[in-house]
Amino acid sequence: MTPVTDQATGESAGAAFQPLPPTATIGILGGGQLGRMLALAAARLGFDACILTPEEQAPASRVAASCLVAAYDDPVALAEFAARCRVATFEFENVPARVVDRLRAAGVRMAPGPLALATAQDRIAEKTFFRAVGVDCAPFAEIAAAAHIPEALARLGAPALLKTRREGYDGKGQSWVRAPGDADAAFAAIGAAPAILEGRVDFVRELSVIAARGWSGEIAAYPLAENTHENGVLRRSVAPARVSDATAAQALDIASRLLVGLDYVGVMGVELFEMADGRLLVNEIAPRVHNTGHWTLDACQVDQFEQHIRAIAGWPLGPTRPFARAEMTNLLGDEADAWAVYAADPQARLWLYGKAEATPGRKMGHVNRLTGALPE
Ligand code: AMP
């Protein structure tokens, strides 16, 4: 497979990239918990993180070397951000494409690049890309109006899941369509936005793979995690998932096709459906570090956050083999109020995100536990 070269600059993974020296500043667009853990990893390797976020007192800003509080497309803030950072990344995929374009025009190396961002921002572009690189996914149809739904439903089979093309997360912007008569209500329920209708996948488990690619084209993947969701939000990841060698190899092949096809630099989260016959279908990709990779913080020598910083800084990728089995549980809403219980539990490794307000379902922290030895 030939990497797609970035037409705008000619820069691509495989191009020479001098490793970024410690004390350099790495820019992070977004101030949430993923940015926070990236900033901590950057600091550990001697870098300064600079956060750009519209939010005052964001989780990431509280631990980063510097912070700019402004709208993502604020020209003054972007110019200052570009002046500080030679390399920049993002911690959520809804950063406007024009922001990434502006930073690149100002000489900042963005990793991942604009192709990965554009692909992950639009479910139709994403699934079209999956097909182009030979990766299986749910059958789908593009829906621009409620009137398109009955015909698509007839083709895909009922029930089918209507999702907004853009800006859906944690199961938001989704509605099941069980019969043609549901079309209007389902379309209204997702805000009458441009959408995709996906055939229902009768999966047996939800798995994910966290994989990284460096500027040199080097690829490294962590073992699969098995994930359970509640109300559309990740509750728990168990890793390494107990899968056959063939399934593990299939996941690595999928991740490699996606990384190479996007000429990707950094860590990517790939959400997978495992079918009864062992086949893996890709649900979606996250062009960033991922909640289902938080277990690596305590079970791996180099966790996903350090791996991302290493990748975008042009450092060698770290080892991905865990030294123990691990279980990660998200602390949602007021569950984080039990911090003292976790702090007193010698088996629990507590991560809190420094968020003041615990609204229901909000990701406030997570707990990792090492659950056993791995075979040699
Ligand atoms: P998403 O926001 O696309 O990750 O979807 C959220 C959750 O909905 C997934 O983790 C699955 O549990 C479920 N889901 C998404 N797409 C499908 C599908 N095509 N068939 C069955 N379940 C799905």
Side-chain angles (χ1 to χ4, degrees), residues 16 96 110 150 166 336:
M110 289 300 307
R166 306 178 76 89

Side-chain angles (χ1 to χ4, degrees), residues 97-130:
R98 64 181 180 281
V99 169
V100 169
D101 292 343
R102 273 215 207 155
L103 288 172
R104 294 174 74 236
V108 179
R109 286 223 186 205
M110 289 300 307
L115 179 62
L117 187 64
T119 305
Q121 282 180 344
D122 177 356
R123 292 186 191 273
I124 298 282
E126 193 180 32
K127 288 204 165 46
T128 306
F129 164 69
F130 294 160

Side-chain angles (χ1 to χ4, degrees), residues 123 161 163 174 198-201 203 206 271 283-284:
R123 292 186 191 273
L161 190 52
K163 304 179 180 178
Q174 303 193 2
E198 291 184 17
R200 184 179 69 185
V201 176
F203 56 83
E206 290 192 75
E271 296 181 13
N283 174 27
E284 62 181 5

Side-chain angles (χ1 to χ4, degrees), residues 117-284:
L117 187 64
T119 305
Q121 282 180 344
D122 177 356
R123 292 186 191 273
I124 298 282
E126 193 180 32
K127 288 204 165 46
T128 306
F129 164 69
F130 294 160
R131 285 186 173 168
V133 292
V135 165
D136 284 345
C137 61
F140 66 96
E142 187 177 335
I143 304 292
H148 297 162
I149 294 176
E151 194 225 327
L153 189 66
R155 184 159 65 76
L156 301 171
L161 190 52
L162 187 68
K163 304 179 180 178
T164 53
R165 276 180 74 156
R166 306 178 76 89
E167 295 191 359
Y169 70 98
D170 285 348
K172 294 189 173 60
Q174 303 193 2
S175 184
W176 283 101
V177 183
R178 295 188 167 74
D182 294 347
D184 287 340
F187 197 62
I190 63 155
I196 184 172
L197 190 66
E198 291 184 17
R200 184 179 69 185
V201 176
D202 288 316
F203 56 83
V204 289
R205 284 194 294 180
E206 290 192 75
L207 304 171
S208 60
V209 59
I210 307 295
R213 184 164 179 262
W215 290 102
S216 66
E218 177 193 10
I219 286 176
Y222 293 96
L224 290 161
E226 178 176 343
N227 308 310
T228 42
H229 296 82
E230 284 170 14
N231 306 318
V233 180
L234 181 69
R235 164 56 72 188
R236 189 165 288 112
S237 293
V238 173
R242 291 177 197 269
V243 294
S244 67
D245 289 350
T247 299
Q250 200 187 149
L252 181 60
D253 176 62
I254 289 171
S256 301
R257 285 170 187 266
L258 299 174
L259 290 168
V260 173
L262 292 171
D263 197 16
Y264 195 93
V265 174
V267 163
M268 177 192 281
V270 184
E271 296 181 13
L272 301 162
F273 296 134
E274 184 187 31
M275 309 302 285
D277 63 4
R279 212 158 43 99
L280 296 177
L281 268 54
V282 177
N283 174 27
E284 62 181 5

